[in-house]
Amino acid sequence: MRKVKVAIIGGGTVGGGVWQALQKNGALIAARCGYEIEVNHVVVRDPAKKRPVRIPKRVLSTDWRAAVMDPQTDIVVELVGGLETAEEIVSTSLKQRKPVISANKALLSARGAALWKLARKHGTHLYFEASVAGGIPIIKVLRESLVANRITDIYAIANGTCNYILTKMAREGRAFDEILKEAQDLGYAEAEPSLDVDGLDAMHKTGIMGSILSGFWVPEKSIFVKGIRDISPMDLQFADWLGYTIKLIGSIRCMHSEKDQKDGWKRPVLELSVEPTLVPKSHVLASVDGVFNAVFVKGDVVGESLYYGRGAGQDATASSVISDIVDAACDLHQEYEYTLAPFEAFAESGVVRSHADCVANYFIRLEATNRPGTMAQVTSILAEHQIGISSCIQPENHVGETVPLMLMVDQAPFSVFSRALTQLGRLKVVRSRPVYFRVGSFE
Ligand code: HSE
């Protein structure tokens, strides 16, 4: 049996999961791919630390450089997280012409373009299946399984923490802060939750998917991001009345000019955002609950398809890392020359449309003074901006000085919509900052 030796840098949750799954299924994996995968190093900060998964002392070490430079090491798995050290590990390994597997979405999002070029320069690959949606093999789907398609749309629930919080808020009618605190106590949410609840983690993943489908590396700063902190139980309740639920959706639309039908894929125009979105209850994404992730993909040949599963956790993420190790082993020995590169820069030019110019329908909630003429002032501002109203609710018998006013408005470019929203916020009758969410049609 041919053997490949793998150095895992980072012996935390995912590293432990990879070790454990290889112990359990190593023989099956070898029978499937023709390679025995041997872990020759697991690099950790403290080899004496007690770990949930027992890793034998003989493979544990503390010097990542020595593990990477070891002539016996064929493949490097970077699982340390963060940016600076992770980048050094990845680039040092690529310069040694060693394929690298990384689950580090923040690193790929920030430095993916440069790392991809470095891999290419040194004739090797950087694999990143585990960086998006944990155990869902979405990178492989986009790069291989859907190779026949121009992928036009992706709508993804790519952050389990946000999905868990929103699911609980919708079911139990409780506030964001309360559910977040509970999720932190249970270990479902990080003590520092910003990366998740402010949408940054979903932004990293959305950018990576957008890069694969469009063929140019999407700059992360070009993605519009809005987190879930503004969502109140009332928003979820009103959305429910109107036939929607609210999810944090990473949205990618890939277009090209009508005149450019044949070669348009060389000059893609992308619209990318991560924001709380009203999802019609009839849409399949509306029923993705709890910590689960899902990616809804439209291709011009395949039509619509959905990929669902666990977006995080030891075993789900290890499953994706091992799939990359097997691809790297096959590529390394070039016995099966069928594996497509994790990323190909096939676009000649690509642009991300400014969010100001992206058109969408919106839901608005205002806290307004309950007196005659309030609605007239609100609707005249919308009319001045040429924004139509498709529905409007003020709940009857609401107790208190102010009442919630909910409006669903027709399509408008974000720049126009946000000017109208600013003016609504300046009205004397509007008593707090207006809240808005995009309404997804997914058409
Ligand atoms: N923190 C992420 C989530 C998982 O909540 O989905 C890792 O990307």
Side-chain angles (χ1 to χ4, degrees):
M1 177 69 72
R2 293 156 302 181
K3 201 179 257 193
V4 286
K5 296 201 179 187
V6 179
I8 301 176
I9 320 296
T13 309
V14 180
V18 172
W19 173 271
Q20 185 167 268
L22 286 173
Q23 302 315 301
K24 181 172 171 236
N25 288 345
L28 168 66
I29 296 165
R32 280 186 166 142
C33 73
Y35 291 97
E36 187 188 327
I37 295 163
E38 183 188 317
V39 176
N40 62 341
H41 299 278
V42 178
V43 179
V44 293
R45 268 207 208 101
D46 176 9
K49 185 178 153 184
K50 224 172 152 28
R51 294 161 205 286
V53 172
R54 210 191 70 77
I55 301 174
K57 279 212 179 80
R58 70 185 151 78
V59 295
L60 288 176
S61 64
T62 54
D63 182 352
W64 68 259
R65 216 175 278 278
V68 166
M69 301 309 262
D70 179 349
Q72 296 281 307
T73 299
D74 298 307
I75 295 169
V76 177
V77 179
E78 178 276 307
L79 297 174
V80 298
L83 286 183
E84 306 312 327
T85 307
E87 184 175 23
E88 217 190 327
I89 294 167
V90 172
S91 55
T92 305
S93 310
L94 294 174
K95 284 178 192 160
Q96 294 300 306
R97 308 174 74 85
K98 295 189 181 183
V100 180
I101 285 112
S102 174
N104 190 334
K105 53 231 135 211
L107 175 67
L108 288 154
S109 173
R111 318 266 161 87
L115 292 173
W116 171 77
K117 279 193 192 131
L118 190 67
R120 173 113 315 181
K121 180 172 164 200
H122 293 279
T124 186
H125 285 311
L126 170 61
Y127 303 81
F128 43 86
E129 183 62 72
S131 68
V132 180
I136 305 175
I138 189 65
I139 303 296
K140 196 150 202 150
V141 163
L142 296 176
R143 75 185 219 226
E144 285 189 23
S145 316
L146 297 182
V147 70
N149 292 262
R150 293 181 195 211
I151 294 168
T152 54
D153 302 78
I154 291 185
Y155 302 105
I157 294 174
N159 185 274
T161 305
C162 290
N163 208 43
Y164 172 84
I165 293 173
L166 292 176
T167 304
K168 285 277 249 187
M169 284 175 71
R171 284 190 188 151
E172 298 171 17
R174 290 194 291 140
F176 169 82
D177 289 334
E178 203 182 311
I179 306 272
L180 171 62
K181 166 90 182 45
E182 194 178 281
Q184 286 170 320
D185 292 345
L186 290 167
Y188 294 163
E190 302 285 340
E192 203 323 56
S194 173
L195 208 57
D196 292 316
V197 302
D198 293 324
L200 303 173
D201 173 77
M203 172 195 82
H204 297 147
K205 297 165 179 170
T206 302
I208 293 169
M209 290 189 283
S211 304
I212 295 173
L213 75 86
S214 63
F216 72 99
W217 206 275
V218 170
E220 63 178 14
K221 290 209 163 50
S222 64
I223 306 173
F224 176 81
V225 185
K226 183 168 171 246
I228 65 166
R229 291 185 200 256
D230 271 356
I231 304 174
S232 74
M234 209 192 303
D235 296 317
L236 286 151
Q237 190 185 68
F238 289 123
D240 184 57
W241 285 359
L242 294 162
Y244 294 87
T245 185
I246 304 179
K247 300 281 184 194
L248 184 75
I249 299 285
S251 156
I252 306 168
R253 301 190 65 212
C254 184
M255 288 151 283
H256 51 80
S257 131
E258 289 286 313
K259 285 186 236 131
D260 213 5
Q261 280 297 326
K262 193 152 176 271
D263 287 346
W265 56 271
K266 293 183 186 167
R267 292 170 285 281
V269 179
L270 287 189
E271 289 184 3
L272 296 122
S273 67
V274 172
E275 58 186 315
T277 302
L278 269 72
V279 179
K281 281 196 250 171
S282 56
H283 193 276
V284 66
L285 284 176
S287 51
V288 175
D289 283 335
V291 294
F292 280 88
N293 282 196
V295 187
F296 181 78
V297 182
K298 278 194 209 174
D300 64 345
V301 181
V302 71
E304 297 177 347
S305 56
L306 180 79
Y307 308 89
Y308 171 88
R310 289 196 179 275
Q314 171 182 292
D315 297 336
T317 313
S319 167
S320 289
V321 169
I322 294 171
S323 143
D324 275 347
I325 294 175
V326 169
D327 275 358
C330 294
D331 285 344
L332 198 61
H333 294 277
Q334 296 197 340
E335 302 225 348
Y336 309 101
E337 290 185 58
Y338 67 82
T339 309
L340 303 183
F343 172 71
E344 271 304 340
F346 53 77
E348 279 171 4
S349 64
V351 290
V352 177
R353 181 168 285 149
S354 155
H355 191 67
D357 298 330
C358 294
V359 168
N361 294 55
Y362 289 97
F363 165 95
I364 305 170
R365 176 170 53 82
L366 304 172
E367 195 190 330
T369 310
N370 192 12
R371 67 164 180 249
T374 295
M375 187 64 93
Q377 292 182 50
V378 168
T379 54
S380 71
I381 287 179
L382 292 170
E384 276 163 29
H385 290 84
Q386 298 294 312
I387 299 175
I389 298 170
S390 56
S391 86
C392 179
I393 308 182
Q394 177 191 320
E396 272 187 298
N397 307 322
H398 192 85
V399 181
E401 259 180 52
T402 58
V403 287
L405 272 188
M406 262 78 48
L407 298 115
M408 302 276 275
V409 300
D410 293 337
Q411 286 206 332
F414 185 71
S415 55
V416 176
F417 173 75
S418 59
R419 275 200 294 275
L421 205 67
T422 305
Q423 288 198 16
L424 289 173
R426 287 190 187 134
L427 286 175
K428 280 218 174 70
V429 292
V430 171
R431 306 302 288 274
S432 61
R433 191 168 54 90
V435 171
Y436 77 92
F437 306 111
R438 182 185 173 137
V439 180
S441 67
F442 308 113
E443 275 161 10

